[in-house]
Amino acid sequence: MPSGVPKTIAEDLGIRVRQTVEAACHFLDSASFEFKSLWRECDKLQKVDAVNASLMKASLAGLAGDLEGLERWLTNAEQNGGGESVRGTRFAMYSDLGFVTEASKSYRETIANDDSLARLNLTHGIACGSFSEMLQAADRWAKEDTKLEEQDVLRRSAQARDALRALGVPEENVRSMMDRAGELMRARRLLWANLMPDLIASSTPAAHPFFALNYRVDVEPAEAAEMTWALAERLAEDDLIFPFVTVAFVSKQRPAAS
């Protein structure tokens, strides 16, 4: 952060923007009071802290479904020395918007580093369909006696990796399936709920290996079922149907499986 900028200004606004992004289940209307209010605050911050203001504007633009604005403000942050923060915001917003294959590229670049930002973003690998890469990075840091949080996320990711290997389905194929799910969500101006998709997988000898990733969406259960059917049709058209591997939608109202 540039010197002379009160740290709390960027931090407080960053918390508000992050909370807005994390709580969103639908695209945010750029004409709404909430959007305009946050954007005005970003405009003020832009005069003294171009990097953080641009990253926040990129997040807000993405939340409104403005992909050109998202990239424009990411580029602006990069040109002003945003560095790794730009990659982190890019993969977070692209995975939120369902551009999973694209998000995985920035995720891969981010966790290739051994810094605090990489470790902070480690467990976002599930949303990017990058299970093996997430676990490889976790193993690398564990050897350095680094305490890793989110052990449950790492456990689920290991189960996903092992199940896909047992089924002979490459992770890039799963990312393509997630991309198709993203197309359906964007068409309905929906964003998936919670911090990451639901993931259940197993490769234990007692049962046939399986992999199931569910996006929680803010619709009635019947509409979620219709979306899942539409997704299955699209996956079949694109030759992305694999036995015991599913990507689907569930209503946000439905309790999560464990």
Side-chain angles (χ1 to χ4, degrees):
M1 187 178 300
S3 59
V5 180
K7 192 175 182 182
T8 55
I9 294 177
E11 283 187 345
D12 290 347
L13 182 56
I15 290 171
R16 290 169 58 198
V17 170
R18 185 170 64 253
Q19 288 175 338
T20 299
V21 172
E22 291 179 352
C25 295
H26 302 264
F27 283 14
L28 187 63
D29 184 355
S30 59
S32 68
F33 174 80
E34 181 181 17
F35 184 95
K36 288 184 174 181
S37 176
L38 289 171
W39 197 272
R40 282 195 297 269
E41 293 300 315
C42 289
D43 278 339
K44 295 176 184 177
L45 183 63
Q46 190 85 37
K47 299 174 183 177
V48 292
D49 188 350
V51 171
N52 281 311
S54 295
L55 291 173
M56 293 178 207
K57 284 183 174 180
S59 295
L60 290 171
L63 197 59
D66 178 6
L67 299 180
E68 290 185 2
L70 169 61
E71 273 302 321
R72 181 170 64 253
W73 287 110
L74 286 174
T75 299
N76 194 64
E78 194 167 33
Q79 291 173 344
N80 281 280
E84 292 300 319
S85 296
V86 175
R87 289 178 182 164
T89 300
R90 177 175 279 114
F91 81 67
M93 291 310 303
Y94 270 83
S95 64
D96 284 349
L97 292 167
F99 294 101
V100 178
T101 297
E102 188 63 31
S104 69
K105 298 174 185 177
S106 294
Y107 176 77
R108 183 181 305 116
E109 294 171 350
T110 297
I111 63 170
N113 300 305
D114 288 325
D115 56 23
S116 58
L117 181 64
R119 300 180 191 198
L120 178 66
N121 287 303
L122 174 68
T123 54
H124 290 287
I126 286 180
C128 296
S130 301
F131 314 108
S132 295
E133 289 171 326
M134 180 171 76
L135 293 163
Q136 288 168 4
D139 287 343
R140 186 175 75 245
W141 296 330
K143 291 177 182 177
E144 300 170 0
D145 296 325
T146 300
K147 291 183 179 178
L148 294 173
E149 298 179 354
E150 306 293 350
Q151 291 298 323
D152 181 63
V153 176
L154 295 173
R155 176 182 61 81
R156 289 174 182 260
S157 192
Q159 291 171 339
R161 175 201 60 192
D162 294 345
L164 291 171
R165 286 178 178 175
L167 292 164
V169 178
E171 289 182 18
E172 54 262 35
N173 287 1
V174 173
R175 289 192 285 271
S176 294
M177 296 171 72
M178 296 167 73
D179 285 337
R180 304 309 188 275
E183 293 172 3
L184 286 171
M185 286 188 284
R186 292 193 301 275
R188 291 167 170 78
R189 296 183 64 80
L190 289 170
L191 298 164
W192 47 275
N194 300 344
L195 295 178
M196 64 188 69
D198 294 348
L199 176 62
I200 307 174
S202 176
S203 60
T204 59
H208 196 287
F210 71 90
F211 171 100
L213 184 142
N214 293 333
Y215 285 108
R216 292 192 166 270
V217 285
D218 189 23
V219 298
E220 293 294 324
E223 185 174 350
E226 290 175 2
M227 291 176 65
T228 295
W229 184 258
L231 174 59
E233 291 180 328
R234 188 163 300 184
L235 294 176
E237 291 172 358
D238 294 340
D239 198 24
L240 288 170
I241 295 290
F242 307 101
F244 301 99
V245 177
T246 62
V247 174
F249 299 103
V250 295
S251 172
K252 182 184 174 185
Q253 304 165 17
R254 177 181 169 183
S258 59

mmCIF file of all heavy atoms in Angstrom, residues 134-159:
data_model
loop_
_atom_site.group_PDB
_atom_site.id
_atom_site.type_symbol
_atom_site.label_atom_id
_atom_site.label_comp_id
_atom_site.label_asym_id
_atom_site.label_seq_id
_atom_site.Cartn_x
_atom_site.Cartn_y
_atom_site.Cartn_z
ATOM 1 N N MET A 134 -3.387 -28.102 -5.725
ATOM 2 C CA MET A 134 -3.556 -27.619 -4.368
ATOM 3 C C MET A 134 -2.822 -28.520 -3.381
ATOM 4 O O MET A 134 -2.119 -28.061 -2.483
ATOM 5 C CB MET A 134 -5.039 -27.542 -4.010
ATOM 6 C CG MET A 134 -5.303 -27.043 -2.602
ATOM 7 S SD MET A 134 -7.047 -26.720 -2.275
ATOM 8 C CE MET A 134 -7.654 -28.383 -2.082
ATOM 9 N N LEU A 135 -2.954 -29.820 -3.558
ATOM 10 C CA LEU A 135 -2.331 -30.773 -2.642
ATOM 11 C C LEU A 135 -0.814 -30.794 -2.793
ATOM 12 O O LEU A 135 -0.094 -30.954 -1.803
ATOM 13 C CB LEU A 135 -2.913 -32.165 -2.878
ATOM 14 C CG LEU A 135 -4.391 -32.294 -2.486
ATOM 15 C CD1 LEU A 135 -5.006 -33.533 -3.111
ATOM 16 C CD2 LEU A 135 -4.546 -32.332 -0.972
ATOM 17 N N GLN A 136 -0.314 -30.608 -4.010
ATOM 18 C CA GLN A 136 1.129 -30.544 -4.220
ATOM 19 C C GLN A 136 1.729 -29.344 -3.486
ATOM 20 O O GLN A 136 2.791 -29.441 -2.858
ATOM 21 C CB GLN A 136 1.441 -30.467 -5.709
ATOM 22 C CG GLN A 136 1.199 -31.778 -6.453
ATOM 23 C CD GLN A 136 1.223 -31.604 -7.965
ATOM 24 O OE1 GLN A 136 1.483 -30.521 -8.478
ATOM 25 N NE2 GLN A 136 0.940 -32.678 -8.677
ATOM 26 N N ALA A 137 1.033 -28.207 -3.557
ATOM 27 C CA ALA A 137 1.510 -27.012 -2.848
ATOM 28 C C ALA A 137 1.452 -27.228 -1.342
ATOM 29 O O ALA A 137 2.387 -26.857 -0.615
ATOM 30 C CB ALA A 137 0.667 -25.807 -3.244
ATOM 31 N N ALA A 138 0.380 -27.852 -0.862
ATOM 32 C CA ALA A 138 0.250 -28.122 0.572
ATOM 33 C C ALA A 138 1.367 -29.044 1.052
ATOM 34 O O ALA A 138 1.950 -28.827 2.122
ATOM 35 C CB ALA A 138 -1.113 -28.744 0.867
ATOM 36 N N ASP A 139 1.700 -30.055 0.263
ATOM 37 C CA ASP A 139 2.783 -30.967 0.621
ATOM 38 C C ASP A 139 4.126 -30.235 0.656
ATOM 39 O O ASP A 139 4.969 -30.480 1.529
ATOM 40 C CB ASP A 139 2.858 -32.125 -0.379
ATOM 41 C CG ASP A 139 1.716 -33.118 -0.216
ATOM 42 O OD1 ASP A 139 1.058 -33.091 0.844
ATOM 43 O OD2 ASP A 139 1.487 -33.911 -1.154
ATOM 44 N N ARG A 140 4.306 -29.341 -0.292
ATOM 45 C CA ARG A 140 5.564 -28.592 -0.343
ATOM 46 C C ARG A 140 5.748 -27.729 0.898
ATOM 47 O O ARG A 140 6.830 -27.691 1.492
ATOM 48 C CB ARG A 140 5.575 -27.703 -1.592
ATOM 49 C CG ARG A 140 6.886 -26.980 -1.825
ATOM 50 C CD ARG A 140 6.873 -26.225 -3.149
ATOM 51 N NE ARG A 140 6.077 -25.023 -3.100
ATOM 52 C CZ ARG A 140 4.961 -24.815 -3.810
ATOM 53 N NH1 ARG A 140 4.495 -25.750 -4.607
ATOM 54 N NH2 ARG A 140 4.301 -23.674 -3.729
ATOM 55 N N TRP A 141 4.688 -27.072 1.323
ATOM 56 C CA TRP A 141 4.783 -26.216 2.499
ATOM 57 C C TRP A 141 4.837 -27.019 3.789
ATOM 58 O O TRP A 141 5.454 -26.594 4.753
ATOM 59 C CB TRP A 141 3.602 -25.240 2.517
ATOM 60 C CG TRP A 141 3.650 -24.301 1.355
ATOM 61 C CD1 TRP A 141 4.768 -23.851 0.703
ATOM 62 C CD2 TRP A 141 2.541 -23.709 0.681
ATOM 63 N NE1 TRP A 141 4.421 -23.014 -0.327
ATOM 64 C CE2 TRP A 141 3.059 -22.894 -0.369
ATOM 65 C CE3 TRP A 141 1.163 -23.755 0.861
ATOM 66 C CZ2 TRP A 141 2.247 -22.162 -1.209
ATOM 67 C CZ3 TRP A 141 0.349 -23.018 0.027
ATOM 68 C CH2 TRP A 141 0.879 -22.237 -1.001
ATOM 69 N N ALA A 142 4.181 -28.174 3.813
ATOM 70 C CA ALA A 142 4.209 -29.016 5.011
ATOM 71 C C ALA A 142 5.630 -29.470 5.317
ATOM 72 O O ALA A 142 6.021 -29.625 6.476
ATOM 73 C CB ALA A 142 3.290 -30.219 4.840
ATOM 74 N N LYS A 143 6.423 -29.700 4.271
ATOM 75 C CA LYS A 143 7.811 -30.118 4.457
ATOM 76 C C LYS A 143 8.644 -29.016 5.113
ATOM 77 O O LYS A 143 9.714 -29.264 5.650
ATOM 78 C CB LYS A 143 8.416 -30.503 3.108
ATOM 79 C CG LYS A 143 7.815 -31.786 2.520
ATOM 80 C CD LYS A 143 8.390 -32.071 1.155
ATOM 81 C CE LYS A 143 7.740 -33.323 0.544
ATOM 82 N NZ LYS A 143 8.237 -33.592 -0.822
ATOM 83 N N GLU A 144 8.150 -27.794 5.040
ATOM 84 C CA GLU A 144 8.842 -26.673 5.664
ATOM 85 C C GLU A 144 8.305 -26.412 7.067
ATOM 86 O O GLU A 144 8.529 -25.356 7.649
ATOM 87 C CB GLU A 144 8.664 -25.415 4.803
ATOM 88 C CG GLU A 144 9.213 -25.566 3.393
ATOM 89 C CD GLU A 144 8.811 -24.408 2.487
ATOM 90 O OE1 GLU A 144 8.114 -23.497 2.979
ATOM 91 O OE2 GLU A 144 9.184 -24.417 1.307
ATOM 92 N N ASP A 145 7.565 -27.409 7.587
ATOM 93 C CA ASP A 145 6.978 -27.304 8.927
ATOM 94 C C ASP A 145 5.995 -26.150 9.044
ATOM 95 O O ASP A 145 5.834 -25.553 10.105
ATOM 96 C CB ASP A 145 8.077 -27.159 10.002
ATOM 97 C CG ASP A 145 8.956 -28.398 10.070
ATOM 98 O OD1 ASP A 145 8.425 -29.497 9.875
ATOM 99 O OD2 ASP A 145 10.162 -28.248 10.318
ATOM 100 N N THR A 146 5.351 -25.813 7.947
ATOM 101 C CA THR A 146 4.333 -24.775 7.963
ATOM 102 C C THR A 146 3.003 -25.384 8.417
ATOM 103 O O THR A 146 2.599 -26.419 7.922
ATOM 104 C CB THR A 146 4.158 -24.164 6.558
ATOM 105 O OG1 THR A 146 5.399 -23.606 6.158
ATOM 106 C CG2 THR A 146 3.094 -23.077 6.564
ATOM 107 N N LYS A 147 2.360 -24.737 9.353
ATOM 108 C CA LYS A 147 1.066 -25.224 9.819
ATOM 109 C C LYS A 147 -0.006 -24.825 8.808
ATOM 110 O O LYS A 147 -0.220 -23.641 8.543
ATOM 111 C CB LYS A 147 0.741 -24.643 11.199
ATOM 112 C CG LYS A 147 1.642 -25.173 12.306
ATOM 113 C CD LYS A 147 1.221 -24.622 13.657
ATOM 114 C CE LYS A 147 2.100 -25.181 14.761
ATOM 115 N NZ LYS A 147 1.738 -24.632 16.093
ATOM 116 N N LEU A 148 -0.671 -25.796 8.253
ATOM 117 C CA LEU A 148 -1.694 -25.533 7.257
ATOM 118 C C LEU A 148 -3.074 -25.631 7.897
ATOM 119 O O LEU A 148 -3.375 -26.569 8.628
ATOM 120 C CB LEU A 148 -1.594 -26.535 6.104
ATOM 121 C CG LEU A 148 -0.321 -26.431 5.271
ATOM 122 C CD1 LEU A 148 -0.262 -27.583 4.284
ATOM 123 C CD2 LEU A 148 -0.265 -25.109 4.541
ATOM 124 N N GLU A 149 -3.891 -24.631 7.632
ATOM 125 C CA GLU A 149 -5.263 -24.646 8.118
ATOM 126 C C GLU A 149 -6.155 -25.328 7.078
ATOM 127 O O GLU A 149 -5.694 -25.783 6.044
ATOM 128 C CB GLU A 149 -5.730 -23.215 8.388
ATOM 129 C CG GLU A 149 -4.896 -22.513 9.461
ATOM 130 C CD GLU A 149 -5.353 -21.094 9.714
ATOM 131 O OE1 GLU A 149 -6.236 -20.616 8.974
ATOM 132 O OE2 GLU A 149 -4.815 -20.471 10.639
ATOM 133 N N GLU A 150 -7.434 -25.346 7.368
ATOM 134 C CA GLU A 150 -8.409 -25.908 6.438
ATOM 135 C C GLU A 150 -8.089 -27.356 6.091
ATOM 136 O O GLU A 150 -8.113 -27.756 4.925
ATOM 137 C CB GLU A 150 -8.487 -25.057 5.156
ATOM 138 C CG GLU A 150 -8.760 -23.583 5.399
ATOM 139 C CD GLU A 150 -10.148 -23.323 5.955
ATOM 140 O OE1 GLU A 150 -10.975 -24.250 5.982
ATOM 141 O OE2 GLU A 150 -10.398 -22.188 6.384
ATOM 142 N N GLN A 151 -7.799 -28.147 7.087
ATOM 143 C CA GLN A 151 -7.470 -29.550 6.836
ATOM 144 C C GLN A 151 -8.629 -30.307 6.200
ATOM 145 O O GLN A 151 -8.416 -31.231 5.408
ATOM 146 C CB GLN A 151 -7.047 -30.224 8.154
ATOM 147 C CG GLN A 151 -5.713 -29.734 8.693
ATOM 148 C CD GLN A 151 -4.560 -30.030 7.746
ATOM 149 O OE1 GLN A 151 -4.536 -31.076 7.092
ATOM 150 N NE2 GLN A 151 -3.614 -29.110 7.646
ATOM 151 N N ASP A 152 -9.854 -29.918 6.538
ATOM 152 C CA ASP A 152 -11.004 -30.604 5.953
ATOM 153 C C ASP A 152 -11.058 -30.386 4.444
ATOM 154 O O ASP A 152 -11.394 -31.306 3.683
ATOM 155 C CB ASP A 152 -12.308 -30.110 6.595
ATOM 156 C CG ASP A 152 -13.533 -30.818 6.033
ATOM 157 O OD1 ASP A 152 -13.632 -32.056 6.217
ATOM 158 O OD2 ASP A 152 -14.377 -30.150 5.404
ATOM 159 N N VAL A 153 -10.728 -29.178 4.009
ATOM 160 C CA VAL A 153 -10.708 -28.880 2.571
ATOM 161 C C VAL A 153 -9.645 -29.719 1.876
ATOM 162 O O VAL A 153 -9.874 -30.276 0.798
ATOM 163 C CB VAL A 153 -10.454 -27.382 2.330
ATOM 164 C CG1 VAL A 153 -10.335 -27.087 0.844
ATOM 165 C CG2 VAL A 153 -11.572 -26.548 2.942
ATOM 166 N N LEU A 154 -8.482 -29.831 2.490
ATOM 167 C CA LEU A 154 -7.412 -30.638 1.904
ATOM 168 C C LEU A 154 -7.800 -32.113 1.855
ATOM 169 O O LEU A 154 -7.496 -32.813 0.883
ATOM 170 C CB LEU A 154 -6.126 -30.458 2.709
ATOM 171 C CG LEU A 154 -5.521 -29.041 2.695
ATOM 172 C CD1 LEU A 154 -4.354 -28.948 3.654
ATOM 173 C CD2 LEU A 154 -5.098 -28.640 1.292
ATOM 174 N N ARG A 155 -8.494 -32.575 2.885
ATOM 175 C CA ARG A 155 -8.941 -33.970 2.899
ATOM 176 C C ARG A 155 -9.927 -34.230 1.762
ATOM 177 O O ARG A 155 -9.810 -35.232 1.036
ATOM 178 C CB ARG A 155 -9.614 -34.289 4.239
ATOM 179 C CG ARG A 155 -10.216 -35.692 4.338
ATOM 180 C CD ARG A 155 -10.908 -35.899 5.670
ATOM 181 N NE ARG A 155 -11.994 -34.967 5.875
ATOM 182 C CZ ARG A 155 -13.220 -35.117 5.355
ATOM 183 N NH1 ARG A 155 -13.490 -36.164 4.581
ATOM 184 N NH2 ARG A 155 -14.157 -34.224 5.608
ATOM 185 N N ARG A 156 -10.878 -33.337 1.585
ATOM 186 C CA ARG A 156 -11.859 -33.505 0.508
ATOM 187 C C ARG A 156 -11.187 -33.437 -0.857
ATOM 188 O O ARG A 156 -11.550 -34.171 -1.788
ATOM 189 C CB ARG A 156 -12.950 -32.436 0.617
ATOM 190 C CG ARG A 156 -13.902 -32.631 1.785
ATOM 191 C CD ARG A 156 -14.862 -31.453 1.920
ATOM 192 N NE ARG A 156 -15.736 -31.622 3.062
ATOM 193 C CZ ARG A 156 -16.997 -32.055 3.003
ATOM 194 N NH1 ARG A 156 -17.509 -32.393 1.822
ATOM 195 N NH2 ARG A 156 -17.737 -32.167 4.082
ATOM 196 N N SER A 157 -10.214 -32.561 -0.976
ATOM 197 C CA SER A 157 -9.519 -32.438 -2.252
ATOM 198 C C SER A 157 -8.722 -33.698 -2.557
ATOM 199 O O SER A 157 -8.662 -34.145 -3.714
ATOM 200 C CB SER A 157 -8.600 -31.220 -2.236
ATOM 201 O OG SER A 157 -8.133 -30.914 -3.529
ATOM 202 N N ALA A 158 -8.122 -34.300 -1.537
ATOM 203 C CA ALA A 158 -7.382 -35.546 -1.736
ATOM 204 C C ALA A 158 -8.329 -36.668 -2.159
ATOM 205 O O ALA A 158 -7.995 -37.479 -3.032
ATOM 206 C CB ALA A 158 -6.652 -35.925 -0.449
ATOM 207 N N GLN A 159 -9.516 -36.699 -1.569
ATOM 208 C CA GLN A 159 -10.498 -37.702 -1.962
ATOM 209 C C GLN A 159 -10.916 -37.500 -3.415
ATOM 210 O O GLN A 159 -11.080 -38.469 -4.167
ATOM 211 C CB GLN A 159 -11.712 -37.613 -1.037
ATOM 212 C CG GLN A 159 -11.428 -38.068 0.392
ATOM 213 C CD GLN A 159 -12.581 -37.762 1.338
ATOM 214 O OE1 GLN A 159 -13.420 -36.895 1.075
ATOM 215 N NE2 GLN A 159 -12.630 -38.482 2.457
#
